Amino acid sequence: MNNFKLTDPIDIKISTYLDLDNPKSFLLFAGAGSGKTRTLVNVLQELKAKHLHKFIQSGQRVAIITYTNAACDEIKHRLQHDPVFKVSTIHSFTWDLIKPFTADIREWLEAKLMADIAELNAKLAKARDLNGKTALKNAKSRDSKQRRLDELASITSFVYSAASNKSGKGVINHSEVIAITANFLTNQTLMQKILVNRFPILLIDESQDTNKDLLEACIETQKNNQDKFCIGLFGDMMQRIYGGGKQDLDTDLPSDWEKPAKKINYRCPKRVVTLINNIRSSVDTQQQEPFEKSIDGCVRLFIIDASAGNKSVTESKIRNQMSQTTTDEMWSNLDDVKCLTLEHAMAAKRGEFDEFFMPLHAEDKIKNDLLSGSGTELKFVLNQVLPLIKAITDNDDFVIVNLIKKYSSLLKAENVKFEKSPIDSMRSIDADITELNKIIEDEQYSFLKILKYIHTKKLLILPDKFLPHVANISEEEDESEEDAALESPESKAWNMALKAKLSHVKRYAKYIIDELGFDTHQGVKGLEFERVMVILDDEEANGFLFSYEKLFGAKALTAKDISNDADGIDSTPARTRRLFYVTCSRAEKSLAVVAYTQDQQAVNKHAIDSGWFSDNEIILL
């Protein structure tokens, strides 16, 4: 590590800014595929080689804030988990800063809750119908906040939960942690001192999506401590796809900040670099250059009538056509192509895990857990049932026994039957596993019936929420309307999801660990794939924040869109353009854009007139 030397000119330049004796803050433009993480790691290795003794003497560390847990783990790994560097997600970092200040947190929450309650009361006072949906929702929210306010005085310490829907005494959520930290940094000199003294260097990845108030509070802290504290912002404004960021970040920084840029795109083929440069050309002057050794690559735009029939069949034909065009056979294999959809629901239908996914996705109390694979019930499915099924399929007796031993009571000393006759118990388990193996050979088999068998044979201990569904199962998998009416929305969701075919549950499990060939437009920022298919389908996405029909000229801009653009306010077309830039810039070899539209000719004309695609790259279906 001490012999580490930088070679890239931009890396060398940034390294000079991270001088503990003369720190200099900066905003690094790091476009798509520019090797941002490599630069981050390189300059940190150089920093350690030069200043390790200073960090040891002072007890200080370098803070690196990342946007996702995956990015956090990747940087930690590359830095060999060196304790000099505190690498964390933004919510983890901010919570560590504020969690000792219980009284201050309580005071902030009290003021915020009182203000929220007053606002909701004002809305209810103006409501025409207190039994209307909106009024009832506001009343429920007010009462919840009032209960929370009443509990504040008795709370001795607070805990942080990343889940926005998790409630409980003393629990503060993600948005509150960010807001509290921003407030403390802005208004309390002590908090600024704590940040500066602990972390003389603060590096923020994906700065374009970092909360505006928090970012401005950090910048203000830097202004007040220029001689001993510097901030390094890494990002690209064209890749800003989440709300709440600082829209004027690249134009509203102190005049003494440096603005280096990484211009070379090492990821994308030359044709894709040209495409994404054209997509952003009307937004700013930042343009990338392809790596000299990059391949030419292939780009195609398929324009499809929105009323077309089976979309999965259409997209299969497109993959086959891409296979022929690129002479790349892997385009024909669904799981070797990264298909990007605007919504998880679109991926669920195409990826054939919708039977399990859709009922749960529709229930707010389960939705967050579903997308992260967390929560008691989903962990049971992912960490116990599916591993047991895989072990049985693989004929892996060692794993089978370990799973049953760990999660079941069958092989525990307190089981009288096992204690008296362990050999007979093992034979019985072996017979049950043999029978289960016959059942799971058919992936079209109901997951609920598999759970019923596992529960009956006590191979695993089912979560309490599953027991009513397993107990009520019949050969017809039917239930009376009266029984259904008595279920909670959450229970109804699980009742539908558990009836999914085993194959759908397996494919859901692959989806959430990125082993299925699907992801969302927003979820792939920072990732890269050899073959990318971007699905543009406003009708199926059913959202309002993005509109590819507007971006491609098939739908007129609203007066609000036009006025927002004129006033420098974010608009639907602007957000969609950035998202389109992000998705296209994931491709390492070839790219297929699949646009479902109400007006094929309008999309075709805009694609050519904008210079994004040439006539021979467009296929109308």
Side-chain angles (χ1 to χ4, degrees):
M1 181 72 77
N2 290 331
N3 296 323
F4 182 82
K5 292 294 181 183
L6 297 175
T7 56
D8 184 276
I10 298 298
D11 294 1
I12 293 171
K13 184 181 292 185
I14 292 173
S15 180
T16 64
Y17 305 152
L18 306 183
D19 184 343
L20 295 178
D21 298 319
N22 184 29
K24 213 163 188 45
S25 294
F26 64 91
L27 168 64
L28 171 68
F29 164 71
S34 60
K36 174 186 59 177
T37 302
R38 183 169 59 246
T39 288
L40 178 60
V41 171
N42 285 348
V43 297
L44 289 174
Q45 289 176 332
E46 176 77 0
L47 178 68
K48 181 183 175 182
K50 286 183 177 179
H51 300 294
L52 177 60
H53 64 286
K54 291 185 179 180
F55 285 110
I56 293 174
Q57 289 175 351
S58 65
Q60 295 176 312
R61 303 170 72 190
V62 178
I64 302 100
I65 294 177
T66 65
Y67 206 81
T68 65
N69 286 315
C72 181
D73 292 340
E74 172 65 16
I75 293 172
K76 284 180 179 178
H77 173 71
R78 293 203 201 182
L79 292 171
Q80 300 178 331
H81 297 270
D82 195 303
V84 169
F85 307 114
K86 178 178 174 58
V87 188
S88 53
T89 57
I90 193 157
H91 53 270
S92 175
F93 179 78
T94 51
W95 175 238
D96 281 347
L97 277 180
I98 67 170
K99 67 182 177 183
F101 300 96
T102 301
D104 299 270
I105 294 173
R106 183 186 294 109
E107 184 179 338
W108 185 92
L109 283 172
E110 182 179 16
K112 181 69 168 61
L113 288 168
M114 290 177 68
D116 289 347
I117 291 168
E119 182 180 350
L120 289 166
N121 278 330
K123 288 181 179 179
L124 288 167
K126 295 178 182 178
R128 295 180 181 179
D129 179 10
L130 289 177
N131 291 317
K133 185 176 180 180
T134 301
L136 289 173
K137 182 179 179 181
N138 286 338
K140 184 178 180 180
S141 177
R142 177 203 58 191
D143 295 343
S144 174
K145 290 177 184 294
Q146 185 62 55
R147 287 193 296 272
R148 194 177 178 200
L149 180 62
D150 294 340
E151 291 174 346
L152 278 181
S154 62
I155 293 173
T156 56
S157 64
F158 292 93
V159 294
Y160 163 71
S161 171
S164 60
N165 64 342
K166 183 175 180 180
S167 59
K169 191 172 181 180
V171 173
I172 57 177
N173 62 36
H174 174 75
S175 60
E176 289 172 338
V177 167
I178 299 296
I180 293 169
T181 306
N183 180 277
F184 286 4
L185 280 173
T186 302
N187 299 304
Q188 297 183 17
T189 304
L190 174 61
M191 184 56 68
Q192 291 191 10
K193 287 182 178 178
I194 290 172
L195 174 59
V196 172
N197 290 339
R198 288 174 64 182
F199 307 105
I201 296 173
L202 172 62
L203 305 180
I204 303 178
D205 194 13
E206 303 290 1
S207 57
Q208 74 277 356
D209 281 322
T210 302
N211 177 268
K212 175 180 181 291
D213 294 334
L214 180 62
L215 203 52
E216 289 182 343
C218 289
I219 293 170
E220 185 63 28
T221 300
Q222 186 273 334
K223 284 182 183 177
N224 298 334
N225 300 272
Q226 294 182 29
D227 60 334
K228 53 185 176 180
F229 178 64
C230 74
I231 300 174
L233 304 179
F234 293 70
D236 174 10
M237 293 304 288
M238 194 63 188
Q239 297 189 66
R240 180 170 58 88
I241 58 176
Y242 296 105
K246 184 173 169 58
Q247 295 184 31
D248 58 353
L249 177 61
D250 52 348
T251 59
D252 187 42
L253 287 171
S255 58
D256 61 340
W257 279 49
E258 299 289 341
K259 292 185 178 181
K262 291 182 69 67
K263 296 286 190 179
I264 297 177
N265 185 319
Y266 295 95
R267 173 195 302 148
C268 301
K270 295 172 183 176
R271 178 61 188 94
V272 173
V273 173
T274 299
L275 171 63
I276 61 178
N277 279 342
N278 288 336
I279 291 171
R280 79 179 299 159
S281 61
S282 62
V283 178
D284 59 29
T285 59
Q286 297 284 9
Q287 296 283 283
Q288 289 186 293
E289 301 170 11
F291 183 48
E292 59 182 8
K293 296 181 180 179
S294 295
I295 62 173
D296 289 335
C298 174
V299 168
R300 291 292 184 271
L301 170 64
F302 296 85
I303 306 175
I304 305 165
D305 190 311
S307 62
N310 190 310
K311 293 178 180 178
S312 293
V313 171
T314 299
E315 289 156 25
S316 177
K317 291 179 180 177
I318 289 172
R319 286 193 299 274
N320 289 333
Q321 189 165 342
M322 285 296 295
S323 178
Q324 295 174 12
T325 301
T326 60
T327 63
D328 180 355
E329 292 183 359
M330 297 184 80
W331 261 102
S332 298
N333 185 359
L334 177 63
D335 290 342
D336 287 320
V337 177
K338 182 58 71 168
C339 179
L340 306 183
T341 61
L342 198 53
E343 296 286 347
H344 291 286
M346 294 168 65
K349 294 173 185 176
R350 288 167 169 82
E352 298 180 355
F353 57 94
D354 51 300
E355 291 180 7
F356 182 75
F357 184 89
M358 296 300 287
L360 302 179
H361 190 256
E363 177 53 46
D364 288 341
K365 290 185 178 179
I366 308 175
K367 187 175 182 178
N368 285 341
D369 287 344
L370 180 71
L371 298 177
S372 61
S374 57
T376 301
E377 292 74 30
L378 283 161
K379 283 183 177 179
F380 171 74
V381 171
L382 297 170
N383 299 339
Q384 296 186 42
V385 182
L386 292 182
L388 178 62
I389 289 173
K390 184 179 186 304
I392 293 171
T393 303
D394 294 344
N395 198 26
D396 192 332
D397 292 338
F398 179 76
V399 174
I400 293 170
V401 171
N402 275 346
L403 285 168
I404 293 174
K405 187 176 181 180
K406 182 176 182 180
Y407 295 114
S408 169
S409 60
L410 291 177
L411 300 180
K412 296 193 186 303
E414 57 266 28
N415 182 355
V416 177
K417 183 179 178 181
F418 175 68
E419 185 70 14
K420 286 184 176 180
S421 181
I423 295 177
D424 288 344
S425 294
M426 290 301 298
R427 285 174 178 164
S428 176
I429 292 172
D430 187 56
D432 293 340
I433 292 296
T434 299
E435 185 62 28
L436 182 55
N437 190 26
K438 295 177 183 178
I439 294 172
I440 63 176
E441 283 179 352
D442 181 6
E443 290 201 343
Q444 305 305 300
Y445 203 82
S446 161
F447 189 64
L448 183 58
K449 286 188 175 181
I450 293 172
L451 291 181
K452 168 77 170 179
Y453 184 86
I454 289 173
H455 175 64
T456 302
K457 301 300 181 180
K458 299 181 181 179
L459 297 173
L460 297 171
I461 300 172
L462 270 60
D464 290 342
K465 287 184 181 178
F466 284 1
L467 296 179
H469 308 296
V470 170
N472 292 333
I473 190 173
S474 68
E475 286 302 314
E476 293 77 25
E477 295 187 56
D478 217 352
E479 61 184 340
S480 70
E481 291 185 8
E482 184 178 351
D483 288 339
L486 294 173
E487 290 182 341
S488 68
E490 186 178 357
S491 181
K492 286 182 179 180
W494 274 115
N495 190 45
M496 292 178 64
L498 292 177
K499 291 177 181 177
K501 292 186 279 289
L502 172 61
S503 62
H504 280 240
V505 182
K506 284 184 173 182
R507 290 183 70 79
Y508 157 73
K510 291 181 70 175
Y511 178 70
I512 61 168
I513 60 172
D514 295 326
E515 287 186 359
L516 204 61
F518 295 88
D519 212 323
T520 60
H521 291 197
Q522 301 93 325
V524 293
K525 188 171 67 170
L527 304 179
E528 54 193 33
F529 314 96
E530 291 186 347
R531 298 157 216 87
V532 174
M533 175 187 281
V534 181
I535 306 295
L536 314 182
D537 191 343
D538 291 353
E539 189 175 277
E540 193 174 356
N542 197 29
F544 62 91
L545 290 175
F546 306 100
S547 173
Y548 284 106
E549 288 283 70
K550 288 182 180 180
L551 181 66
F552 275 85
K555 188 176 180 181
L557 301 183
T558 65
K560 186 68 172 176
D561 293 328
I562 296 169
S563 66
N564 281 346
D565 282 337
D567 297 337
I569 300 172
D570 210 12
S571 65
T572 297
R575 282 192 296 269
T576 310
R577 181 188 295 267
R578 295 196 302 269
L579 193 59
F580 188 50
Y581 176 92
V582 168
T583 56
C584 291
S585 61
R586 302 306 98 195
E588 295 177 290
K589 286 186 176 180
S590 47
L591 168 70
V593 177
V594 181
Y596 292 95
T597 178
Q598 303 288 346
D599 191 339
Q600 288 179 285
Q601 293 306 320
V603 172
N604 184 58
K605 184 177 186 302
H606 184 277
I608 294 173
D609 291 348
S610 64
W612 295 357
F613 300 89
S614 61
D615 184 60
N616 65 351
E617 293 176 327
I618 301 174
I619 299 97
L620 276 72
L621 297 177

